[in-house]
Amino acid sequence: MINGPESRSYSGALPVSVIEVFKEWKCAKGAVAARFNGTLVDLHYKLTAGGFLEPVYIASEEGLEVLRHSASHLLAQAVKRLYPGTKLGIGPAIKDGFYYDLDVPQQISEEALLKIEQEMRRIVKENLPITRKVLTKEEAKALFAEKEEIYKLELIEELPDSEVSIYEQGEFLDLCRGPHVPSTSHIKHFKLLSLAGAYWRGDEKNKMLTRIYGTAFGTKEELEAYITRMEEAKRRDHRKLGKELDLFSIQPEGPGFPFFHPKGMVIINKLVDFWRKEHEKRGYCEIRTPLILDRDLWIRSGHWDHYRENMYFTEIDERPFAIKPMNCPGGILVYKSRIRSYRDLPLRMAELGTVHRHERSGVLHGLMRVRCFTQDDAHLYVTPDQIKEEILGIMDLVKYVYKDVFGFNYRVELSTKPEKAMGDPLMWEKAEKALEEALETAGVEFKVNPGDGAFYGPKIDFHLEDCIGRTWQCGTIQLDFQMPEKFDITYVGPDGEHHRPVMLHRTVFGSLERFLGILIEHYAGAFPFWLAPVQVKILPVRGEYNGYASEVFDKLKEKGFRVELDQREEKLGKKIRDAQMEKIPYMLVLGSKEAQEQTVAVRERQAGDLGSMTLDELVKLLEDKESPTA
C-alpha cells in the first residue's frame, strides 16, 4: 500500500522539511520518520514538490526499525570512540533489535558491553543531529579511503547507483540508505545484549569481525519487558536443556549435524507416531525417496540454478550426484512411476525426508539451524478445481497440530514471487490468486510478504508463537505450477486426454529437529505426559522397599508407560529433587504404608502431592493423559 490511513496530501509552501509540516499538522509527537509518496524518508527531508505525506511513529513496526537502525550507528560511534582504529562493517536493524559488525583492533569481552553502553548514553545526551548527505560514488570512495574504512569501500564498489548517501552524527559517519531518527537524543531505551564472531559478509574465507547485538524500544516499559523475556529465553535455551536432560548433542566431528540420545529419540519417535496417525486419517500415503540422486535431476528441477551453493555433491561410478536438499524431485519421480488418472487425484504423498543443506558455520545454532534435518514433507497432486479444498484441508491440519495439540497461537503470511523466480509470470499470478482466495475463504487474517516465495511458487507461511511471545516460521504451503511443467507430469482426465496436475508442497512441523528445539524451549523441558521421555519415576524410600518398587515398575511397563526406578541409596528428598530437575511428570513414593496396602503415593511435577492411589487408579489417571490433546 503506497499511502496509509494517516496519509495526507501536502500542497503548501515549498521547500519545507517534513518535520515542519508535521508540526503544522500537530502530528510530530512520536514521529521518527515519514512516508512521502510511499517512500520512507527522514524528518529532515526537504519537500520540493507536493505529494502524500504520513508520519511513521516510533510505536509502529517501521518506526521501531528506524529507531533500531539508528541505535546500531550509535553503537558503532561509541565503539570507535572507545577503540580508535576500529573499522566499520555493517549494522542493520533485525527482528527484536540490531547488531553491528566491527573490526576492532583488540579483543572485546562481554564485560566491555557496559562500558560501550555508557558511552552510547553520553552520545545520546550530546543530542547530535543525524543528517543525510548524497555523494557521488567517487566522492564517497575518496571520503572512506581517507578514513581507511576498507569494508565500506568494498560495499561502495558494488553499489549499482552513481550516487550514494551517507549519514553523519558528530564526528561519526556511515554509508547508509536510511532513514534515521532526527538526533541521537531520540534513542533513549536500549541495551547491549551479547557478543559474537561473524565472518565479513558471512564468508569463512574472510576476516572474523566482532558482532555486537543490542535492542532498542520506544519506551522503558517495552525494553524492560523484552529483557525479562530474554532472561526467560536463556533459562529455556534448548541447547542448555538438551544437555541437562540428555536429549541431544552437537559434536565437533559433525558441526551442524545433531546427535540424538535415547531420551531425545523418544520424543522424535512420539512426534513421528502422531504425525503418521494424523496423515493416515487425512488420506495421505507415505513414501520414502533416496538421499542421493543424479545431478541432472537437480538441474531439471531448477535447484542447480537457484540452490546449488547450499548443496553437497559426490560422485558415483564417475557420474556426478547430489545429496538432496529438498524432497520434491524424488517425490515427483514416484508420481511419474506409473500413469495417473483423474480418479487418483487428489494424491497426497507424505515423506519424512532427511535433507542436507550447507549452512555457514557462523549461522549454525543448536537444533534451530543445522545442516542435516528431517522435513515432514508432503506433496499433493491435484486438479485445478481441487486447489482450494486441498489448501483448506492443509490449513485445518495446521490448526489442529499447532493450536489444539501444542497450544500455540500462530499468524499467517502470504509470500509472493521472489526476484529470482522460475517460470511464466502469468502462472505466478494465477498461483498467488489461488492462495489468496483460499485464505479469504477460510476467513484467516494474513499479511502479504512480498518477494519471499520459493523460486518455483508462492507460499503461505505459518509463524507459531511460543509461551514467551517469540515467533517461529514452521509450516508452509507452496503452490507450484512450475515443477509439473519441468518434469512433464500428467494425469489422464475423464476425456481420455493427458492434463497437467498442480503440485502443492507443504510441511507442518517444518523440520523435526527445529520443532523439537522449539518444544524444548516452549515447555522449558517439562514436556506434556504423552511426549515426556520418562513419564513416571518410582522412588522407594529405602532399599527394603525395592522389591515392591520393582513390582510396580513391571506393571507400569506392561501397560506401555515409560518408567524408571531409582534404587539409589539416597535420601528421599534428594530423589524427589533429582526427578524434579529431570522434569519427570509423575513421581511415585513407596514406603512401608504403600508396600503394606499395595498403593502408591503420587506426586505430580507441578501440583505436588496428589495423595495415595491404587495401581489401577494410577493407570486410569495416566491413560487419560496419554492423548496429545489431553
Side-chain angles (χ1 to χ4, degrees):
M1 185 167 63
I2 291 179
N3 299 312
E6 293 193 62
S7 179
R8 292 167 61 180
S9 176
Y10 180 77
S11 57
L14 298 168
V16 63
S17 69
V18 169
I19 191 64
E20 288 175 296
V21 176
F22 285 170
K23 285 177 180 175
E24 181 186 327
W25 288 354
K26 296 184 169 49
C27 65
K29 188 175 180 182
V32 289
R35 195 170 273 285
F36 180 60
N37 288 338
T39 301
L40 275 174
V41 296
D42 302 294
L43 294 181
H44 295 310
Y45 182 79
K46 289 283 187 183
L47 303 182
T48 56
F52 286 92
L53 189 63
E54 67 176 298
V56 172
Y57 293 112
I58 200 166
S60 70
E61 193 174 314
E62 284 183 325
L64 264 182
E65 188 171 342
V66 169
L67 175 72
R68 288 166 176 168
H69 194 177
S70 303
S72 77
H73 282 214
L74 179 68
L75 161 63
Q77 183 176 13
V79 172
K80 282 184 77 72
R81 282 188 177 184
L82 293 170
Y83 304 95
T86 294
K87 307 299 178 193
L88 301 174
I90 58 169
I94 55 174
K95 186 181 182 300
D96 291 334
F98 60 89
Y99 70 78
Y100 213 113
D101 288 344
L102 300 149
D103 188 350
V104 188
Q106 65 188 76
Q107 190 170 358
I108 297 180
S109 65
E110 291 279 351
E111 291 71 30
L113 294 184
L114 182 58
K115 183 170 76 167
I116 297 168
E117 219 177 81
Q118 289 168 344
E119 186 61 34
M120 290 169 72
R121 298 194 190 285
R122 277 192 282 271
I123 298 170
V124 168
K125 287 181 180 177
E126 290 173 24
N127 191 20
L128 301 175
I130 302 175
T131 56
R132 182 176 187 265
K133 285 184 180 178
V134 177
L135 306 176
T136 66
K137 278 183 75 169
E138 293 308 313
E139 288 171 335
K141 282 160 66 175
L143 178 63
F144 284 102
E146 182 185 344
K147 294 182 173 293
E148 298 181 346
E149 293 287 1
I150 54 174
Y151 304 105
K152 296 297 178 182
L153 285 169
E154 184 179 324
L155 294 174
I156 293 168
E157 285 287 355
E158 296 174 8
L159 292 173
D161 303 325
S162 59
E163 292 184 327
V164 299
S165 60
I166 65 165
Y167 277 81
E168 293 182 315
Q169 53 195 59
E171 82 289 354
F172 177 81
L173 61 86
D174 201 353
L175 177 72
C176 188
R177 285 196 187 94
H180 285 282
V181 297
S183 74
T184 57
S185 65
H186 284 70
I187 314 166
K188 293 184 173 71
H189 309 294
F190 60 86
K191 183 170 182 59
L192 299 184
L193 301 172
S194 62
L195 282 170
Y199 293 107
W200 169 237
R201 310 192 81 173
D203 190 335
E204 295 166 18
K205 296 174 185 174
N206 290 334
K207 186 173 183 180
M208 176 79 78
L209 306 184
T210 299
R211 176 172 293 181
I212 303 177
Y213 286 98
T215 192
F217 285 88
T219 67
K220 181 182 178 184
E221 292 73 22
E222 288 173 316
L223 177 63
E224 288 176 348
Y226 177 78
I227 292 167
T228 300
R229 285 200 308 274
M230 288 293 290
E231 288 169 353
E232 181 63 15
K234 280 184 184 177
R235 187 179 76 82
R236 294 168 177 265
D237 190 312
H238 75 284
R239 294 165 300 179
K240 169 177 168 287
L241 289 172
K243 183 176 181 180
E244 290 174 2
L245 300 176
D246 197 22
L247 302 178
F248 73 93
S249 60
I250 306 290
Q251 305 289 347
E253 291 82 358
F257 301 96
F259 290 71
F260 286 100
H261 301 190
K263 289 181 178 178
M265 280 307 301
V266 168
I267 305 170
I268 290 286
N269 287 334
K270 293 302 290 184
L271 289 173
V272 168
D273 290 345
F274 164 73
W275 182 91
R276 285 203 167 106
K277 285 174 186 172
E278 285 306 314
H279 282 71
E280 189 176 344
K281 282 183 200 171
R282 294 167 190 262
Y284 286 79
C285 57
E286 187 175 351
I287 65 169
R288 180 172 160 186
T289 62
L291 196 63
I292 300 174
L293 292 165
D294 192 299
R295 187 183 67 182
D296 287 347
L297 178 76
W298 304 103
I299 292 172
R300 189 174 183 184
S301 69
H303 290 88
W304 181 260
D305 291 330
H306 296 270
Y307 212 75
R308 69 175 175 266
E309 69 276 7
N310 295 101
M311 295 172 66
Y312 296 109
F313 301 96
T314 188
E315 195 173 271
I316 302 172
D317 297 334
E318 299 181 355
R319 283 173 56 195
F321 282 74
I323 301 172
K324 66 177 179 179
M326 295 181 189
N327 298 302
C328 38
I332 291 171
L333 295 183
V334 175
Y335 181 93
K336 281 177 67 75
S337 65
R338 67 180 181 85
I339 295 170
R340 305 288 175 177
S341 161
Y342 71 95
R343 294 187 183 90
D344 299 323
L345 307 187
L347 178 57
R348 308 179 187 108
M349 289 184 177
E351 178 177 14
L352 290 162
T354 299
V355 298
H356 288 72
R357 299 179 185 177
H358 178 62
E359 299 282 4
R360 298 188 187 280
S361 60
V363 301
L364 297 175
H365 180 75
L367 298 178
M368 303 303 195
R369 196 75 177 263
V370 292
R371 288 171 170 156
C372 169
F373 56 94
T374 301
Q375 285 185 305
D376 68 318
D377 247 332
H379 298 98
L380 290 74
Y381 303 89
V382 303
T383 63
D385 61 344
Q386 292 169 340
I387 292 173
K388 184 186 290 187
E389 185 179 351
E390 289 304 305
I391 291 172
L392 293 174
I394 296 168
M395 289 171 67
D396 181 68
L397 174 60
V398 167
K399 176 183 175 296
Y400 175 71
V401 172
Y402 288 177
K403 202 167 187 67
D404 299 344
V405 174
F406 293 104
F408 291 116
N409 291 319
Y410 62 93
R411 59 180 172 80
V412 180
E413 290 185 1
L414 172 60
S415 298
T416 59
K417 182 182 176 184
E419 188 178 333
K420 293 182 178 179
M422 182 174 77
D424 184 351
L426 291 176
M427 298 289 262
W428 274 87
E429 285 181 30
K430 188 176 177 182
E432 287 173 8
K433 190 170 187 295
L435 289 179
E436 192 169 347
E437 285 178 357
L439 287 166
E440 288 169 352
T441 299
V444 173
E445 287 186 20
F446 66 94
K447 172 187 169 185
V448 176
N449 193 5
D452 202 40
F455 67 83
Y456 47 79
K459 58 180 180 164
I460 296 170
D461 288 328
F462 300 91
H463 298 257
L464 59 83
E465 181 180 315
D466 68 17
C467 66
I468 58 173
R470 297 170 302 178
T471 57
W472 309 89
Q473 195 271 306
C474 291
T476 186
I477 306 171
Q478 299 168 357
L479 181 52
D480 182 3
F481 290 97
Q482 314 297 336
M483 292 274 184
E485 290 283 344
K486 279 190 164 287
F487 284 90
D488 190 26
I489 62 173
T490 61
Y491 64 92
V492 179
D495 56 3
E497 298 295 322
H498 285 266
H499 300 270
R500 189 80 68 209
V502 180
M503 193 171 170
L504 292 169
H505 309 241
R506 62 108 273 226
T507 63
V508 180
F509 293 147
S511 148
L512 279 179
E513 288 77 2
R514 187 165 178 265
F515 198 76
L516 174 57
I518 293 167
L519 291 182
I520 292 170
E521 298 196 358
H522 180 63
Y523 294 122
F527 294 100
F529 184 79
W530 73 280
L531 274 182
V534 179
Q535 296 171 310
V536 180
K537 196 142 196 175
I538 301 170
L539 311 175
V541 175
R542 287 192 298 275
E544 63 192 272
Y545 307 116
N546 285 348
Y548 177 54
S550 295
E551 290 177 29
V552 174
F553 175 86
D554 290 341
K555 287 178 182 176
L556 291 177
K557 287 288 281 186
E558 281 175 22
K559 293 290 183 181
F561 298 113
R562 298 184 292 280
V563 57
E564 284 185 354
L565 173 55
D566 186 349
Q567 293 182 316
R568 295 176 300 162
E569 290 296 329
E570 296 281 1
K571 291 183 179 178
L572 178 62
K574 176 169 174 52
K575 289 184 178 184
I576 292 173
R577 282 193 302 275
D578 289 348
Q580 287 282 165
M581 291 296 291
E582 293 170 31
K583 320 279 188 183
I584 310 293
Y586 288 92
M587 291 149 270
L588 308 182
V589 177
L590 307 183
S592 62
K593 181 174 180 286
E594 288 76 29
Q596 288 171 9
E597 298 177 359
Q598 296 290 287
T599 59
V600 290
V602 183
R603 291 183 62 86
E604 199 271 337
R605 181 171 55 200
Q606 289 180 307
D609 187 4
L610 300 185
S612 181
M613 296 183 191
T614 66
L615 208 50
D616 288 342
E617 288 171 334
L618 173 66
V619 167
K620 176 69 170 62
L621 170 70
L622 300 183
E623 286 176 342
D624 289 343
K625 297 284 185 181
E626 277 281 37
S627 168
T629 53

